[in-house]
Amino acid sequence: MTQKQTDTVQSITDQIKDMVGKFSGNGANVAATIETLHQNIEGTFNASKIANQGALDVASRQLELYQDTSKQLLSMFGKVEMTADQRAEVAKSAFESALAGSREVTEIINKTTEEVFAAARQRVTGNIGQFQKSMGSSSTTKE
């Protein structure tokens, strides 16, 4: 996480701390709540960072594919001596390259999606664990 993101997370955490502090008189575990919220915010930032990087990777690869395909197709227009069969072969090659690149783009998207969901799953798992922990501690305090 960048320093700016860290500062933003800390600012949000401080604001939440102030709000939650008002409820500390009713027996709520403010520190645990703030820590959970802080972790959720960090998790959201991390998932967003992964998604943004994935979008950048996809856009970069698509641009490369467009440029490569365009160069291949434009090359045949500059060569008047090419036969129709040769032009068809160049077009076929450009299409096959673009198709292979599309598969790469799909793989980038799938990988990014898996990484974003893994980050989200980690936070959900952490939240469930925190909830179970708090339920266990609240049942012991009521006994």
Side-chain angles (χ1 to χ4, degrees):
M1 205 177 330
T2 66
Q3 184 60 43
K4 183 177 179 181
Q5 290 172 330
T6 302
D7 292 344
T8 302
V9 169
Q10 188 59 49
S11 173
I12 293 169
T13 302
D14 291 343
Q15 291 173 22
I16 293 169
K17 190 183 294 186
D18 290 341
M19 289 186 296
V20 174
K22 296 174 184 175
F23 299 104
S24 63
N26 67 4
N29 186 344
V30 177
T33 302
I34 291 171
E35 180 59 28
T36 298
L37 292 172
H38 181 80
Q39 289 172 352
N40 289 343
I41 292 166
E42 277 187 353
T44 301
F45 272 114
N46 289 335
S48 295
K49 182 179 175 184
I50 293 167
N52 289 337
Q53 184 60 50
L56 178 63
D57 293 345
V58 166
S60 295
R61 186 62 184 126
Q62 286 177 325
L63 180 60
E64 288 173 21
L65 291 170
Y66 174 75
Q67 290 172 337
D68 291 345
T69 302
S70 296
K71 285 178 188 175
Q72 287 179 0
L73 292 174
L74 289 173
S75 72
M76 72 179 170
F77 293 114
K79 299 177 183 175
V80 292
E81 69 277 358
M82 289 180 79
T83 66
D85 288 341
Q86 290 172 323
R87 290 177 194 276
E89 189 59 37
V90 169
K92 179 182 174 188
S93 174
F95 177 76
E96 288 173 348
S97 294
L99 185 61
S102 295
R103 288 185 191 113
E104 290 176 41
V105 168
T106 300
E107 290 172 10
I108 293 169
I109 292 169
N110 289 339
K111 179 179 180 256
T112 299
T113 301
E114 289 173 10
E115 290 175 358
V116 168
F117 276 105
R121 188 179 318 110
Q122 181 180 6
R123 281 310 319 134
V124 169
T125 302
N127 286 338
I128 290 171
Q130 184 65 32
F131 177 74
Q132 289 172 335
K133 188 176 172 182
S134 70
M135 292 305 291
S137 65
S138 67
S139 67
T140 57
T141 57
K142 291 183 179 182
E143 291 177 2

